[in-house]
C-alpha cells in the first residue's frame, strides 16, 4: 500500500511539473510573439481576410464585396485560420498597441502572433498524443514533445508565421484523429461519430488554411491500405463494410470546406482552380541555397534535400540513419506498424509529388514545414527502439543545447540552421531574416540615434516592409521604400536594409551606424540580418 501511494504521489508530482513547465513555455512564447517584429507578409494576410470578410458580408447587405473577391488576385489564399485568430486579435490589440507603442492597425497585425503561438502550443499536445500512440511510453512522449516545442526553427516561426504554423498544427491534429479512427478499425470497435465529425472538420479547416491540405487525404489512404495489409482483410469487403462511414466523412468534409471557403460559395469548381493556381504561385522568389539562387518556379530536386539537411537537428538526422538497424523491429507490432508506416510512406509520397509536379516553394522549407513533425516522430522512435538509454541521454543533452540556441538567436530563431551549416559562410550560402522581423530593432536604433544627435523627426527613412511601424507614434512622418532610394535628393536621411535587399550594395556617401546580427553558440560567425546607415 505504501509503495502504491508513493507511486501515485510521484505520478501526481510529475504531472504538476509537466503542466507548470508547459504553462511557463506558453507564457514566455506568447510574450516573445507579441514583442517581436512584424513579418513582411502580415499586411497581405490581413488584407486577404478583409477581402473575404467583405465577400461574406455582401451576402447579407447586397454589396459588391463578392465580386471584389472574384477579381482579387490572391482569392485562393485560404482564410480559415482567421476564424480562430480574429477574435483573439480583437480582444488583445489595444493592450498590444500599448506594449509596442504602435497604432491600432499595426497592433492588430502583431496581436495575430498570439493566436499563432496558441495554435502551435496546442499542436504540441497532439504531438505528445501521437508520440504516445506510437511508443506507448510516457517518458518518450514527453521528451520528444519537449524537443519539438523547443526546436528553434519551429519555435521562431510559431511567434510570427500566420500561414505555415497553423497549417502544421492542423496537420498534426488531423493525423491524431486519423490514428484514433484507424485504431477503431484495427480492433473492430465502433467508430465514435464525434471522432468522425472531428476529423472531417479539422481536415476541412486544414484545406481551408492552404489548399495543399488536400494531400492529407493521401495520408488517410496510406493508413487504410496498410491497415488492410496488416489485418489481411479483403479490400472490397472492407470498403463495402465501411461505405456508410466513408460517405459520412466525404459529405461532412465537402460541407465544411464549402462553408469555410467563401471563394467556393458561388462556384464550387473554383476548388480545382485553386489547386492549379497555388501549385504554381506567382511569386517567383529567389531563395539562396548553398550560395545558389534557386527560383521558386523552377526548383531542382536537390533544393528539398539541401534544406532538410541543414534545417533538421543532427539528432533527427541521426535517427533517420538508424532505420536500417531497427527495420526488423518496426513491422511486427500490429497497430504501431500502421502508425509508423503511415508517417513514413506519407512523407515520401508527398515529397515525390512536390518534386514531380514542380510545386513552387520559397523561403527555404517553410511551405513544407508540416512534414517536419512527421520526420521528428519517425526519427525519435528509431533511436528509442534502437536503444532507450541512448535516446534519453542524447535528448537531454540536446534539450539544453536547444535552450541555449533559442536564447542566442532571440527574435531570429526561425532562421535557425544546424551545426553542419556553421562550417559554411551562413550569410553567403543561406537566407537570413527573410521575413524581416529585424524592422523593430532597426527602427529603435533610428529613434535612439536621432535623439542623441538631435536629428529632426522630419528626416526621411528608406527601408523594407513596415518602415515606420514603430516610429509613427514617436512623431516620425517620412517613410519610403528602399526602391525609392535612387531618387532621393534631399539629405539627410536614414537607410536600412533587411529581408532580401540585405545583399544589395551599400548606399553611396553614407555612414554605417548599426549592424544587427546574431551569433550561434559554439561558432565565431556573426550573422548580419540588417544594416542601418545615416546619409548626411
Amino acid at each position: 500500500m505504501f509503495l502504491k501511494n508513493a507511486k501515485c504521489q510521484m505520478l501526481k508530482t510529475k504531472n504538476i511539473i509537466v503542466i507548470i513547465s508547459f504553462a511557463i513555455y506558453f507564457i514566455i512564447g506568447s510574450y516573445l510573439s507579441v514583442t517581436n517584429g512584424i513579418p513582411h507578409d502580415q499586411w497581405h494576410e490581413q488584407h486577404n481576410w478583409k477581402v473575404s470578410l467583405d465577400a461574406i458580408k455582401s451576402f447579407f447587405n447586397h454589396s459588391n464585396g463578392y465580386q471584389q473577391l472574384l477579381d482579387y488576385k490572391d482569392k485562393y489564399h485560404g482564410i480559415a485560420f482567421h476564424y480562430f485568430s480574429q477574435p483573439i486579435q480583437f480582444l488583445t490589440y489595444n493592450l498590444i498597441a500599448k506594449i509596442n507603442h504602435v497604432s491600432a492597425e499595426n497592433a492588430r497585425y502583431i496581436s495575430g502572433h498570439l493566436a499563432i503561438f496558441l495554435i502551435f502550443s496546442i499542436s504540441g499536445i497532439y504531438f505528445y498524443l501521437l508520440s504516445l500512440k506510437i511508443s506507448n511510453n510516457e517518458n518518450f512522449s514527453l521528451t520528444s514533445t519537449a524537443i519539438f516545442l523547443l526546436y528553434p526553427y519551429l519555435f521562431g516561426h510559431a511567434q510570427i508565421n500566420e500561414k505555415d504554423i497553423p497549417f502544421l498544427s492542423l496537420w498534426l491534429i488531423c493525423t491524431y484523429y486519423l490514428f484514433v479512427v484507424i485504431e477503431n478499425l484495427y480492433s473492430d470497435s465502433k467508430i465514435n461519430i464525434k471522432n468522425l465529425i472531428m476529423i472531417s472538420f479539422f481536415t476541412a479547416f486544414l484545406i481551408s488554411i492552404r489548399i495543399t491540405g488536400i494531400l492529407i487525404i493521401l495520408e488517410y489512404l496510406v493508413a487504410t491500405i496498410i491497415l488492410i495489409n496488416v489485418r489481411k482483410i479483403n479490400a472490397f469487403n472492407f470498403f463495402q463494410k465501411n461505405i456508410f462511414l466513408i460517405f459520412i466523412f466525404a459529405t461532412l468534409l465537402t460541407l465544411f470546406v464549402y462553408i469555410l471557403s467563401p471563394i467556393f460559395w458561388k462556384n464550387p469548381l473554383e476548388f480545382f482552380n485553386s489547386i492549379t493556381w497555388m501549385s504554381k504561385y506567382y511569386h517567383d522568389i529567389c531563395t539562396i541555397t548553398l550560395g545558389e539562387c534557386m527560383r521558386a518556379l523552377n526548383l531542382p530536386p536537390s533544393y528539398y534535400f539541401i534544406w532538410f539537411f541543414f534545417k533538421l537537428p543532427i539528432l533527427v538526422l541521426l535517427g533517420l540513419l538508424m532505420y536500417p538497424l531497427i527495420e526488423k523491429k518496426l513491422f511486427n507490432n500490429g497497430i504501431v506498424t500502421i502508425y509508423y508506416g503511415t508517417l513514413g510512406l506519407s512523407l515520401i509520397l508527398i515529397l515525390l509529388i512536390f518534386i514531380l509536379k514542380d510545386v513552387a516553394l520559397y523561403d527555404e522549407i517553410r511551405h513544407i514545414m508540416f512534414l517536419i513533425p512527421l520526420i521528428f516522430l519517425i526519427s525519435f522512435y528509431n533511436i528509442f527502439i534502437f536503444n532507450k538509454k541512448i535516446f534519453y541521454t542524447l535528448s537531454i543533452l540536446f534539450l539544453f543545447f536547444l535552450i541555449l540556441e533559442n536564447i542566442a538567436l532571440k527574435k531570429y530563431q526561425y532562421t535557425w540552421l544546424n551545426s553542419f551549416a556553421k562550417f559554411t559562410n551562413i550569410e553567403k550560402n543561406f537566407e537570413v531574416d527573410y521575413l524581416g522581423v529585424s524592422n523593430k530593432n532597426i527602427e529603435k536604433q533610428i529613434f535612439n540615434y536621432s535623439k542623441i544627435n538631435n536629428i529632426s523627426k522630419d528626416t526621411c527613412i528608406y527601408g523594407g516592409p513596415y518602415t515606420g511601424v514603430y516610429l509613427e507614434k514617436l512623431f516620425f512622418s517620412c517613410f519610403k521604400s528602399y526602391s525609392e532610394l535612387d531618387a532621393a535628393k534631399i539629405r539627410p536621411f536614414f537607410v536600412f536594409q533587411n529581408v532580401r535587399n540585405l545583399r544589395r550594395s551599400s548606399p553611396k556617401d553614407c555612414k554605417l551606424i548599426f549592424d544587427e546580427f546574431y551569433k550561434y553558440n559554439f561558432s565565431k560567425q556573426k550573422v548580419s540580418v540588417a544594416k542601418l546607415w545615416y546619409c548626411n
Side-chain angles (χ1 to χ4, degrees):
M1 180 64 72
F2 173 77
L3 289 174
K4 185 177 180 181
N5 290 337
K7 188 175 181 180
C8 289
Q9 186 60 41
M10 286 176 64
L11 185 61
K12 184 178 179 181
T13 303
K14 178 182 175 182
N15 290 340
I16 292 171
I17 291 171
V18 169
I19 292 169
I20 291 173
S21 299
F22 186 75
I24 292 171
Y25 171 85
F26 178 72
I27 291 168
I28 292 173
S30 296
Y31 175 77
L32 291 175
S33 71
V34 299
T35 55
N36 212 323
I38 302 180
H40 70 78
D41 54 0
Q42 199 87 58
W43 178 89
H44 186 244
E45 284 297 328
Q46 190 70 18
H47 187 65
N48 290 340
W49 165 249
K50 182 180 181 301
V51 173
S52 293
L53 183 61
D54 289 342
I56 294 170
K57 290 178 180 177
S58 71
F59 276 80
F60 302 97
N61 59 22
H62 307 292
S63 65
N64 67 339
Y66 200 86
Q67 186 57 47
Q68 289 176 358
L69 174 62
L70 293 176
D71 296 336
Y72 182 48
K73 191 171 187 178
D74 279 325
K75 59 188 175 183
Y76 299 122
H77 252 274
I79 60 160
F81 182 62
H82 288 282
Y83 297 126
F84 178 82
S85 68
Q86 289 299 318
I88 294 172
Q89 290 175 251
F90 177 77
L91 292 171
T92 61
Y93 80 93
N94 280 324
L95 174 62
I96 289 169
K98 293 176 182 177
I99 292 172
N100 290 285
H101 305 290
V102 297
S103 67
E105 179 185 357
N106 289 317
R108 283 186 184 274
Y109 300 151
I110 300 169
S111 60
H113 298 178
L114 188 60
I116 301 166
F117 197 77
L118 175 58
I119 195 70
F120 179 68
S121 298
I122 292 171
S123 80
I125 297 172
Y126 282 91
F127 186 92
Y128 166 80
L129 294 173
L130 286 167
S131 301
L132 196 58
K133 279 195 173 296
I134 293 172
S135 68
N136 197 30
N137 186 294
E138 188 176 351
N139 289 331
F140 166 82
S141 304
L142 289 172
T143 306
S144 300
T145 303
I147 295 174
F148 169 74
L149 291 174
L150 288 170
Y151 172 38
Y153 179 58
L154 295 184
F155 182 64
H157 272 285
Q159 297 173 38
I160 54 174
N161 190 328
E162 198 168 4
K163 204 71 172 179
D164 304 303
I165 286 295
F167 189 81
L168 172 151
S169 301
L170 264 294
W171 192 286
L172 273 174
I173 293 170
C174 289
T175 301
Y176 169 74
Y177 283 104
L178 165 66
F179 284 4
V180 170
V181 171
I182 288 294
E183 193 174 314
N184 290 147
L185 293 171
Y186 180 81
S187 60
D188 282 326
S189 303
K190 184 179 180 181
I191 294 177
N192 191 319
I193 191 65
K194 182 187 76 173
N195 290 328
L196 202 59
I197 294 171
M198 296 290 269
I199 193 172
S200 302
F201 174 76
F202 286 126
T203 303
F205 204 89
L206 177 77
I207 294 169
S208 303
I209 290 175
R210 177 176 280 155
I211 198 64
T212 313
I214 194 68
L215 289 173
I216 196 80
I217 303 299
L218 178 63
E219 185 178 280
Y220 298 170
L221 287 173
V222 167
T224 305
I225 292 168
I226 296 174
L227 169 68
I228 289 171
N229 280 275
V230 169
R231 286 286 315 277
K232 295 180 171 55
I233 312 170
N234 180 280
F236 178 79
N237 291 340
F238 174 83
F239 285 106
Q240 188 178 46
K241 179 181 177 181
N242 294 288
I243 189 67
F244 182 63
L245 294 175
I246 296 170
F247 174 77
I248 292 175
F249 169 73
T251 303
L252 288 174
L253 175 61
T254 304
L255 179 63
F256 287 138
V257 169
Y258 181 77
I259 292 171
L260 291 169
S261 307
I263 188 61
F264 304 148
W265 288 0
K266 284 193 175 179
N267 181 10
L269 294 179
E270 288 282 10
F271 178 84
F272 301 101
N273 293 332
S274 68
I275 295 174
T276 304
W277 172 263
M278 293 306 296
S279 68
K280 291 291 182 184
Y281 194 55
Y282 63 89
H283 283 328
D284 193 19
I285 292 172
C286 166
T287 300
I288 302 301
T289 306
L290 276 184
E292 181 183 348
C293 172
M294 294 190 178
R295 311 298 310 188
L297 295 177
N298 189 27
L299 292 176
S302 60
Y303 177 92
Y304 296 83
F305 304 104
I306 291 169
W307 278 110
F308 274 130
F309 180 77
F310 287 109
K311 277 290 179 183
L312 292 174
I314 292 176
L315 180 66
V316 172
L317 296 174
L318 176 65
L320 295 177
L321 291 174
M322 283 186 174
Y323 174 78
L325 303 176
I326 47 90
E327 180 184 3
K328 292 180 181 179
K329 298 180 182 179
L330 294 173
F331 301 110
N332 58 1
N333 194 8
I335 190 69
V336 176
T337 298
I338 301 173
Y339 296 154
Y340 187 95
T342 298
L343 297 174
L345 280 176
S346 300
L347 170 66
I348 293 168
L349 290 172
I350 290 169
L351 276 177
L352 281 174
I353 289 170
F354 271 75
I355 292 170
L356 294 175
K357 297 297 290 183
D358 196 20
V359 174
L361 299 180
Y362 53 88
D363 293 347
E364 29 100 338
I365 54 171
R366 53 174 284 214
H367 296 113
I368 50 173
M369 189 187 295
F370 65 96
L371 296 176
I372 289 178
L374 309 188
I375 297 172
F376 272 41
L377 287 165
I378 291 168
S379 176
F380 294 153
Y381 188 65
N382 286 355
I383 302 173
F384 184 71
I385 289 298
F386 177 74
N387 188 294
K388 294 178 175 59
K389 287 184 179 179
I390 289 177
F391 171 77
Y392 289 122
T393 301
L394 292 178
S395 295
I396 291 168
L397 291 172
F398 192 62
L399 278 170
F400 282 114
F401 172 73
L402 291 184
I403 292 169
L404 292 174
E405 290 282 83
N406 278 305
I407 293 170
L409 272 65
K410 184 183 173 185
K411 291 186 185 297
Y412 306 108
Q413 293 100 326
Y414 80 91
T415 68
W416 185 84
L417 292 156
N418 65 30
S419 295
F420 289 135
K422 296 169 190 176
F423 292 105
T424 70
N425 184 327
I426 291 175
E427 282 185 44
K428 181 181 178 182
N429 287 295
F430 302 102
E431 293 290 348
V432 290
D433 195 26
Y434 49 85
L435 292 181
V437 296
S438 53
N439 50 34
K440 182 175 184 178
N441 203 30
I442 285 293
E443 292 179 30
K444 178 183 176 182
Q445 296 301 323
I446 292 173
F447 173 75
N448 291 339
Y449 191 85
S450 299
K451 187 176 181 180
I452 293 169
N453 294 281
N454 295 316
I455 296 170
S456 169
K457 291 185 178 180
D458 293 327
T459 302
C460 284
I461 301 163
Y462 294 82
Y466 301 104
T467 303
V469 164
Y470 300 96
L471 290 173
E472 60 182 359
K473 278 267 187 173
L474 299 171
F475 307 107
F476 287 79
S477 57
C478 183
F479 309 113
K480 298 186 179 183
S481 69
Y482 190 90
S483 60
E484 298 177 86
L485 183 60
D486 291 338
K489 296 178 180 179
I490 300 174
R491 291 189 175 227
F493 54 80
F494 290 99
V495 181
F496 72 85
Q497 292 181 345
N498 69 342
V499 198
R500 285 179 169 81
N501 66 20
L502 187 61
R503 290 185 172 84
R504 295 179 182 176
S505 58
S506 303
K508 293 181 180 179
D509 303 321
C510 297
K511 176 185 176 183
L512 180 67
I513 59 175
F514 183 71
D515 186 0
E516 172 82 335
F517 65 86
Y518 62 81
K519 186 174 177 292
Y520 283 97
N521 291 298
F522 316 112
S523 173
K524 295 181 179 179
Q525 281 194 67
K526 290 182 178 180
V527 181
S528 180
V529 293
K531 297 181 186 293
L532 171 65
W533 290 267
Y534 181 62
C535 308
N536 204 340

